[in-house]
Amino acid sequence: MGANSSSINDLSENEYLKRLSGTESISENDPFWNQLLSFSFTTPTNSAELKLLEEATISVCKSLVENNPRTGNLGALIKVFLSRTKELKISAECQNHLFIWQAHNALFLISCLLKVFVCQMPEEEIQLHFTYEEESPVTYQADSEDLIEELLCCLIKLIIDIPLLDITYGISLEAVSTLVIFLSCQLFHKDILRQSISHKYLMHGRCLPYTSRLVKTLLYNFIRQEKRPPPGTHIFEQQSDSGGLLYGLASGVATGLWTVFTLGGVGSKPAPHQEQSSPLASQSLLLLLVLANLTDAPDAPNPYRQAIMSFKNTQDSTAFPSSNPHAFQINFNSLYTALCEQQKSDQATLLLYMLLHQNSNVRTYMLARTDMENLVVPILEILYHVEERNSHHVYMALIILLILTEDDGFNRSIHEVILKNITWYSERVLTEISLGSLLILVVIRTIQYNMTRTRDKYLHTNCLAALANMSAQFRSLHQYAAQRIISLFSLLSKKHNKVLEQATQSLRGSLSSDDVPLPDYAQDLNVIEEVIRMMLEIINSCLTNSLHHNPNLVYALLYKRDLFEQFRTHPSFQDIMQNIDLVITFFSSRLQQAGAELSVERVLEIIKQGAVALPKDRLRKFPELKFKYVEEEQPEEFFIPYVWSLVYNSAVALYWNPQDIQLFTMDSG
């Protein structure tokens, strides 16, 4: 890019980039660095813009990869950056735009170049690019490993120490992104990385003492959702003669290089979705998820996961356990609010899952909230729009519900919260419904969707487990929720009859032909009977524990009483059918005594009176239905590819060439 050019297409011919990537070693004290780092640009805001940047600099990067082992210019650039970050905090406090401007530019170059190295070579080879010296290309430099560790430590300290201002937003975001790049070697391996250079430095040595502060800062970045400053915040625009020394210095070093390097245009109006987004919050959350899901070191557990598992509320005055040096405190109210507001993203749902599952302090706090609808309703929306979500996001939302329904207090309180006008529920107008009834409706809808589309047994199991956990606490079920429970049973009954008929026909056909392999209808029948049994247990649990609270369910049961006839004598269901059969018989008798042509209101009145009259000891007691979520034996096999798929797909993350990705297939990732 020439002195008067601002086209991205000119980057490959830029004299300063060509010198950086050329055959000449550049001392870290060379004035060249002041010139190189004095460019102004609008930082790329998405992966599409980063792709354009990478495509424009292919030749420069290729030359650097080839020549750096002899020149060590990447190491020199990093040392220049490290030297400029030593006074970064005071520069931010003093509003020293020039100093922060050049430090940010240095880190942006390091980030772009490091990503090229990560994509093209294994970690061991990357390490050599930090170690080569001009005099002896094959000699290992003793302090070079320390250069990697020093850069990582510097990035962490930058994130946790530099105050977040308009002028520091860019460099804070770049520091977070560069740490993600350091860890992104995982993307280029099919197997889970259990030991790597970046693992070693982040879990041991000089980086370890900053663990809790880094996790805390990343969480607060997520909580605050600070938007990106307007484009042009860091651009030095020409001022009047009284513009001062700052502009004079900036323009003096900038005129020899590029005037304005921009992808979207300096001062151009961002797209509406960009105006609303917080790339720092999004990228901080991605980094937090990556760190928390690093595999444990051979000699120590993952300290970032330990920090996430143990942090406490700022209002909690109890002492920290001495066994955990990474514990800290954070404002739970602010965290809860952010989690409620951000559940449309996979990342926020995964964070919520991790906190509920792994941090007992957070789980206890959330379950004690009196406004749980603010959290639960967004989770239900994820499940409701299952067609638009990826399967991982749906699983996380469902497991969150399962964890919540393990608590009896939660199961009681959700029926006391009344919601009005649920506009996103389109099957039926819901002007007023309890949170508990809405939860039942959405979970049943998810089961029915799964039966007709995905047929995933794992999803079925977790949906039914959540309903089972709630069943003893069902209270004042909405008439539509009661109808849907019985409708689901009707659907299962029809499916059972169909599979049974297919099995019978198949058996008859096998008598006349010995060569044709038979479909395994017995297995299908066994699965559907397990689900029917579970539904009968859920209905029975409600009738046994809260019959008098649920006249609408009894009404729906009586209206569809014929459905249950075929299961009365079935050996798999005889025991559980006893109570249901007793309730149907008891209330049918009372309705017959009341005469014919009864209105709905009169039927409900008779049911309410009968519920009081029915002796409770006539209903057989069964063991309480309680299911707990248990994480898989090797959760990293699920979570690590999932987290990196989120990094890959993130709109504010880096551009990755899909042909290079090894960790997951692109159609499933």
Side-chain angles (χ1 to χ4, degrees):
M1 186 179 292
N4 297 314
S5 172
S6 62
S7 170
I8 192 172
N9 297 321
D10 295 334
L11 282 175
S12 60
E13 298 302 319
N14 181 270
E15 58 179 296
Y16 296 98
L17 292 180
K18 290 178 75 171
R19 184 179 171 191
L20 174 68
S21 61
T23 57
E24 173 194 354
S25 290
I26 307 170
S27 165
E28 59 196 89
N29 300 314
D30 196 301
F32 163 81
W33 299 109
N34 274 337
Q35 298 169 319
L36 175 71
L37 301 179
S38 297
F39 60 88
S40 299
F41 66 101
T42 299
T43 308
T45 57
N46 55 51
S47 55
E49 292 178 353
L50 281 160
K51 180 182 179 183
L52 289 175
L53 177 62
E54 289 195 14
E55 290 172 345
T57 54
I58 288 175
S59 60
V60 171
C61 294
K62 185 177 179 180
S63 296
L64 184 71
V65 170
E66 182 179 338
N67 295 321
N68 187 67
R70 288 174 292 279
T71 64
N73 285 344
L74 176 62
L77 172 61
I78 291 170
K79 289 177 182 177
V80 169
F81 168 71
L82 292 173
S83 68
R84 295 183 185 222
T85 57
K86 291 175 182 176
E87 297 181 24
L88 205 53
K89 186 175 182 180
I90 194 168
S91 297
E93 292 169 352
C94 298
Q95 296 281 306
N96 187 334
H97 287 247
L98 177 61
F99 201 87
I100 296 169
W101 175 45
Q102 290 198 334
H104 172 262
N105 288 350
L107 183 55
F108 178 72
L109 284 174
I110 292 168
S111 176
C112 292
L113 296 172
L114 182 63
K115 181 179 173 296
V116 172
F117 281 68
V118 168
C119 290
Q120 294 188 8
M121 61 191 74
E123 271 195 314
E124 294 75 15
E125 194 173 334
I126 294 173
Q127 190 173 13
L128 293 177
H129 278 271
F130 283 79
T131 65
Y132 282 118
E133 288 290 307
E134 179 186 5
E135 295 82 3
S136 180
V138 294
T139 302
Y140 183 78
Q141 183 185 349
D143 66 348
S144 61
E145 270 198 66
D146 292 340
L147 184 60
I148 300 178
E149 185 174 26
E150 191 174 352
L151 177 58
L152 286 170
C153 276
C154 175
L155 294 172
I156 292 172
K157 285 192 280 188
L158 194 160
I159 293 168
I160 63 180
D161 286 339
I162 304 302
L164 190 58
L165 310 168
D166 276 3
I167 59 171
T168 61
Y169 191 100
I171 195 168
S172 297
L173 174 58
E174 209 61 59
V176 173
S177 296
T178 307
L179 281 177
V180 173
I181 292 171
F182 255 113
L183 292 160
S184 63
C185 290
Q186 177 64 81
L187 275 172
F188 309 98
H189 289 78
K190 288 184 178 180
D191 300 321
I192 303 299
L193 285 179
R194 301 187 183 278
Q195 288 183 322
S196 70
I197 295 168
S198 51
H199 280 59
K200 179 177 70 173
Y201 289 128
L202 288 169
M203 293 199 185
H204 298 88
R206 293 165 57 188
C207 294
L208 188 61
Y210 301 108
T211 296
S212 59
R213 291 177 64 195
L214 177 59
V215 171
K216 184 176 182 177
T217 302
L218 295 175
L219 278 172
Y220 269 127
N221 284 349
F222 166 70
I223 289 169
R224 289 170 182 147
Q225 293 289 318
E226 293 284 352
K227 295 179 183 177
R228 188 194 298 269
T233 299
H234 299 95
I235 305 301
F236 291 89
E237 299 175 352
Q238 189 159 6
Q239 302 174 10
S240 63
D241 293 339
S242 58
L245 177 63
L246 179 62
Y247 174 73
L249 285 173
S251 61
V253 293
T255 50
L257 184 56
W258 30 50
T259 50
V260 177
F261 157 42
T262 173
L263 292 166
V266 176
S268 62
K269 184 175 176 61
H273 69 276
Q274 291 177 331
E275 288 181 351
Q276 298 301 320
S277 68
S278 172
L280 180 60
S282 300
Q283 205 75 326
S284 294
L285 181 51
L286 286 172
L287 175 58
L288 181 63
L289 295 174
V290 168
L291 291 171
N293 285 282
L294 293 175
T295 55
D296 293 336
D299 55 345
N302 179 341
Y304 302 96
R305 190 182 303 123
Q306 280 192 309
I308 285 176
M309 291 171 63
S310 58
F311 69 81
K312 301 192 303 182
N313 195 353
T314 48
Q315 296 179 350
D316 188 342
S317 58
T318 58
F320 286 111
S322 57
S323 58
N324 188 354
H326 306 301
F328 62 91
Q329 289 180 295
I330 202 166
N331 187 310
F332 276 16
N333 183 59
S334 300
L335 177 61
Y336 179 80
T337 301
L339 286 167
C340 292
E341 292 174 350
Q342 300 300 321
Q343 282 308 305
K344 288 185 179 178
S345 78
D346 286 72
Q347 296 94 303
T349 305
L350 180 54
L351 176 63
L352 175 59
Y353 158 77
M354 288 170 53
L355 295 178
L356 281 173
H357 178 53
Q358 298 177 355
N359 190 314
S360 60
N361 300 319
V362 172
R363 184 168 61 252
T364 301
Y365 173 85
M366 288 188 176
L367 288 169
R369 294 282 303 205
T370 57
D371 59 348
M372 276 298 287
E373 66 273 17
N374 291 337
L375 185 69
V376 175
V377 171
I379 296 298
L380 296 181
E381 281 197 70
I382 295 169
L383 292 175
Y384 185 80
H385 298 293
V386 59
E387 303 94 336
E388 303 167 15
R389 306 290 181 182
N390 67 70
S391 60
H392 289 58
H393 199 184
V394 172
Y395 283 145
M396 288 297 100
L398 191 51
I399 292 169
I400 287 167
L401 287 185
L402 180 56
I403 292 171
L404 293 173
T405 60
E406 291 171 13
D407 183 77
D408 285 340
F410 171 83
N411 294 332
R412 282 191 298 271
S413 65
I414 56 175
H415 292 287
E416 298 167 1
V417 177
I418 304 301
L419 306 172
K420 296 185 184 293
N421 299 318
I422 309 301
T423 55
W424 48 264
Y425 195 96
S426 60
E427 277 86 346
R428 179 161 172 160
V429 176
L430 299 175
T431 54
E432 186 172 289
I433 190 171
S434 71
L435 178 60
S437 289
L438 181 63
L439 197 159
I440 292 167
L441 284 175
V442 172
V443 170
I444 287 176
R445 185 180 183 276
T446 306
I447 293 173
Q448 292 181 323
Y449 175 84
N450 186 50
M451 286 175 64
T452 57
R453 305 284 182 86
T454 55
R455 301 188 179 184
D456 186 325
K457 185 180 178 182
Y458 179 82
L459 194 123
H460 251 25
T461 302
N462 284 283
C463 284
L464 291 168
L467 288 176
N469 284 345
M470 296 167 58
S471 59
Q473 308 291 338
F474 283 173
R475 293 289 188 277
S476 304
L477 289 185
H478 191 281
Q479 61 179 15
Y480 185 54
Q483 289 170 16
R484 298 311 296 164
I485 291 173
I486 304 304
S487 294
L488 175 58
F489 185 81
S490 174
L491 185 64
L492 292 167
S493 176
K494 290 175 183 175
K495 191 171 181 65
H496 177 268
N497 292 340
K498 182 179 179 181
V499 174
L500 192 59
E501 183 181 347
Q502 289 173 333
T504 304
Q505 291 176 352
S506 176
L507 188 60
R508 288 171 183 164
S510 67
L511 298 176
S512 58
S513 174
D514 297 329
D515 302 328
V516 181
L518 293 176
D520 192 0
Y521 288 114
Q523 183 178 354
D524 290 347
L525 200 60
N526 184 55
V527 170
I528 194 68
E529 286 185 354
E530 283 182 10
V531 177
I532 288 175
R533 169 84 189 187
M534 191 78 156
M535 279 302 300
L536 288 172
E537 288 181 343
I538 289 167
I539 294 169
N540 179 72
S541 174
C542 176
L543 297 177
T544 306
N545 293 281
S546 53
L547 174 68
H548 57 293
H549 289 299
N550 292 290
N552 283 326
L553 181 62
V554 177
Y555 184 100
L557 197 66
L558 293 171
Y559 191 75
K560 293 284 187 178
R561 71 190 79 177
D562 294 343
L563 281 175
F564 298 89
E565 190 67 32
Q566 63 176 309
F567 299 106
R568 291 176 61 190
T569 57
H570 194 292
S572 299
F573 312 120
Q574 270 184 317
D575 59 336
I576 205 73
M577 276 298 301
Q578 288 180 17
N579 285 345
I580 297 173
D581 193 34
L582 187 151
V583 168
I584 291 174
T585 303
F586 177 82
F587 284 97
S588 295
S589 173
R590 294 182 75 91
L591 289 175
Q592 286 176 354
Q593 293 172 14
E597 303 298 331
L598 300 173
S599 66
V600 173
E601 291 76 14
R602 177 59 180 148
V603 172
L604 286 171
E605 184 182 341
I606 294 170
I607 290 172
K608 291 175 184 177
Q609 293 169 352
V612 176
L614 177 64
K616 292 183 179 179
D617 57 2
R618 291 183 60 186
L619 295 174
R620 178 183 168 186
K621 290 290 184 182
F622 286 85
E624 184 182 11
L625 294 178
K626 273 298 172 188
F627 295 88
K628 288 184 70 69
Y629 167 69
V630 179
E631 201 168 66
E632 297 176 16
E633 290 185 6
Q634 292 184 307
E636 66 272 11
E637 299 291 339
F638 171 86
F639 286 104
I640 291 177
Y642 180 32
V643 168
W644 280 106
S645 74
L646 298 181
V647 174
Y648 173 85
N649 289 306
S650 172
V652 297
L654 305 146
Y655 167 71
W656 307 97
N657 188 336
Q659 295 178 347
D660 297 333
I661 306 300
Q662 298 289 318
L663 181 60
F664 45 79
T665 58
M666 296 320 302
D667 55 348
S668 64

